Amino acid sequence: FLPTPHTSSWLSNFAANFLIAVYGMLGLLLSLLFLLLIFLNKELFRKYILAFALTVTVSLPIWYTFPAVSPHFMYRYNVLGAEIPPQIREEIKTYEYNPVIARYIDGVNERLAPKDQTVPSADKNPPLRYPLTTFPSMHGAWGVMIAYFATKLWPPLGFIAIPWALFNMAASVYTQWHY
């Protein structure tokens, strides 16, 4: 269904741009639904806030007990200095990132790098800061939450919210933030 992340055809570039945009919409849609619910349905708003708090409450102990590094930080930069199996190491050497995904990852690294550190790349030192919360995915959990509450608020919104949630989950893997 989706082109592989390392191809650079127009379809692959379109899919990469589309999925990056979908992935980046989470905060906007959480906020928009927050406002809609607070003004249109107070009872559903209370449940929305409770669901939001519960997803974080359940996830925090998992993040602290089993920290997980995103795939590109684990394999592209090997931030943990772990021994990578030879077959995976060889695949990483020959892997060609889709240019859109590569720019996206490099842009994230720029924002994560301290001001006094040069921007990391695959052949330079790994970044000093990196996220350890890749499982469970809040993009996945909150995406499902948005789809559920949007559909409960007004059922026709489900035709937009449910596909968005599915694309959001696909984007979290495609952009190499989650496994």
Side-chain angles (χ1 to χ4, degrees):
F1 164 63
L2 288 174
T4 58
H6 64 276
T7 61
S8 61
S9 69
W10 70 269
L11 182 58
S12 178
N13 290 341
F14 173 80
N17 280 311
F18 174 75
L19 290 173
I20 289 168
V22 165
Y23 192 72
M25 287 180 181
L26 181 67
L28 173 70
L29 294 179
L30 278 170
S31 302
L32 183 61
L33 189 57
F34 177 94
L35 292 173
L36 286 172
L37 289 172
I38 201 166
F39 290 115
L40 299 177
N41 190 326
K42 298 264 192 260
E43 181 61 30
L44 209 50
F45 172 74
R46 288 185 196 97
K47 291 177 181 177
Y48 179 73
I49 294 301
L50 179 62
F52 185 89
L54 283 174
T55 57
V56 174
T57 303
V58 168
S59 298
L60 277 172
I62 298 170
W63 290 337
Y64 282 105
T65 307
F66 307 105
V69 179
S70 66
H72 69 272
F73 282 118
M74 181 62 200
Y75 296 108
R76 186 177 191 199
Y77 301 112
N78 194 9
V79 294
L80 301 179
E83 180 63 34
I84 298 175
Q87 181 182 2
I88 294 175
R89 198 170 345 140
E90 190 57 38
E91 286 293 326
I92 293 167
K93 279 185 198 174
T94 60
Y95 186 81
E96 291 183 39
Y97 280 81
N98 170 290
V100 174
I101 294 293
R103 276 193 308 276
Y104 170 75
I105 291 171
D106 290 342
V108 169
N109 291 340
E110 268 183 42
R111 289 187 294 278
L112 288 175
K115 298 295 179 214
D116 59 345
Q117 181 188 355
T118 58
V119 178
S121 68
D123 42 344
K124 292 182 184 172
N125 294 329
L128 297 176
R129 297 184 293 184
Y130 47 88
L132 292 173
T133 57
T134 62
F135 183 81
S137 165
M138 287 299 93
H139 271 81
W142 290 338
V144 169
M145 191 179 85
I146 288 169
Y148 174 79
F149 283 99
T151 304
K152 291 292 272 182
L153 179 62
W154 189 49
L157 276 178
F159 291 110
I160 297 168
I162 293 169
W164 173 83
L166 294 172
F167 280 122
N168 182 50
M169 286 185 256
S172 69
V173 174
Y174 193 79
T175 57
Q176 300 179 17
W177 279 110
H178 300 285
Y179 293 94

